[in-house]
Amino acid sequence: MPGRPSLAGRSLLLVLRPISGMGGGGSALKVCADHRGGINWLSLSPDGQRLLTGSEDGTARLWSTADGQCCALLQGHESYVTFCQLEDEAAFTCSADCTIRKWDVLTGQCLQVFRGHTSIVNRILVTNNQLFSSSYDRTARAWNVDKGQVSQEFRGHRNCVLTLAYSAPWDLPGAPCMEEALAGGLLVTGSTDGTAKVWQVASGCCHQTLRGHTGAVLCLVLDTPSHTAFTGSTDATIRAWDILSGEQLRVFREHQGSVICLELVNRHVYSGSADRTVKCWLADTGESVRTFAAHGHSVSALKYHAGTLFTGSGDARARAFDAQSGALRRVFRGHAFIINCIQVHGQVLYTASHDGALRLWDVRGLPRAPPPRPGAPKRSLSRLFNNKVGCAAAAPLQPA
């Protein structure tokens, strides 16, 4: 808020103290139970100073990572908040009330309402002064962030659009014959109609339809340097696609249930499934190299951080695994219902649950990632967008 002292440089671990008797192997630093409904999504600002939660109670809340306090209540939506994204200077939320809202992170004031969708807005993605959205109305849309107006509408899916990712024009090959078509970049969307589609943002035209899944596409990640999309589905497979040609490159088969969430790190794909496992795959070959078990229910959330793979599950627990060996390092107990989203910042794990609580956990003492071997290629700092739907149903999703 105006006049609030700067939080930059302050450490959460210097302010918060573990709660006695909590954690079950992982110490809880703080429990934030201000929401009056389940938390559907959790977003961390790029500068790491704030968190944003979106809830079933129709509100979003901003939290300081320096002391874990709620610093703004964002009220205005007329139904539950489905998803949110936090930038350094603005917060964005979308809702079952068919709208998207932009908020001032200092005052909590609503700066803009984006109207146009005719059903639940599932996901949003803010990048390069553009806002993309997906909806149960079977469309995706591009918006001008400053004006709040639709700049493009993407129609073609036969059922609701769940997940989306964007590849900027400078990440795409500069072939002269493709220059005009790719001038605005490419948007990739996944739908309960069993397809993913690649759209030319400048024209709104469908560039490719990615067909092969036999169930709803619940999640996708995009590797921009190789212009490859990885999609996860209720058909229990992950598929890799060339988004320029539409070619299906490979199929990842081993899961026994819906693939709910994906994470792409260092040419490895991590997939969380309704079969209660996470699997690690070689992105370039589709070979399964590791299975992370020990979950008591569907795996609903994933986050890789510094050599540790964090998972959230329908069994209301978060877990930390050594990403290289697959060994279970820590279990975080305390939530009452499914964990919908997780984030990691510094030495703190943040978990958001359908029980309405945001919990902060001390992750000090977990093994750190080993230093790269001499001569090993430097990891590409590509822009990877991860979108997931926290639903384990094997049938197409229906509005709540």
Side-chain angles (χ1 to χ4, degrees), residues 306-331:
T308 298
L309 182 69
F310 294 93
T311 66
S313 173
D315 64 11
R317 297 174 184 177
R319 291 171 173 83
F321 295 87
D322 184 289
Q324 189 168 8
S325 69
L328 177 63
R329 297 301 191 194
R330 199 169 294 178
V331 180

Side-chain angles (χ1 to χ4, degrees), residues 160-180:
C160 64
V161 186
L162 295 178
T163 184
L164 70 174
Y166 174 71
S167 182
W170 49 84
D171 291 321
L172 298 167
C177 60
M178 298 286 288
E179 189 171 340
E180 185 175 347

Side-chain angles (χ1 to χ4, degrees), residues 56 66 70 80 91 130 150 156 159 180 186 263 326 355 367 382 391 398:
E56 291 281 321
C70 180
Y80 59 91
Q130 291 187 97
V150 176
N159 213 325
E180 185 175 347
L186 294 174
E263 182 96 334
D355 63 11
S382 59
C391 173
Q398 298 296 327

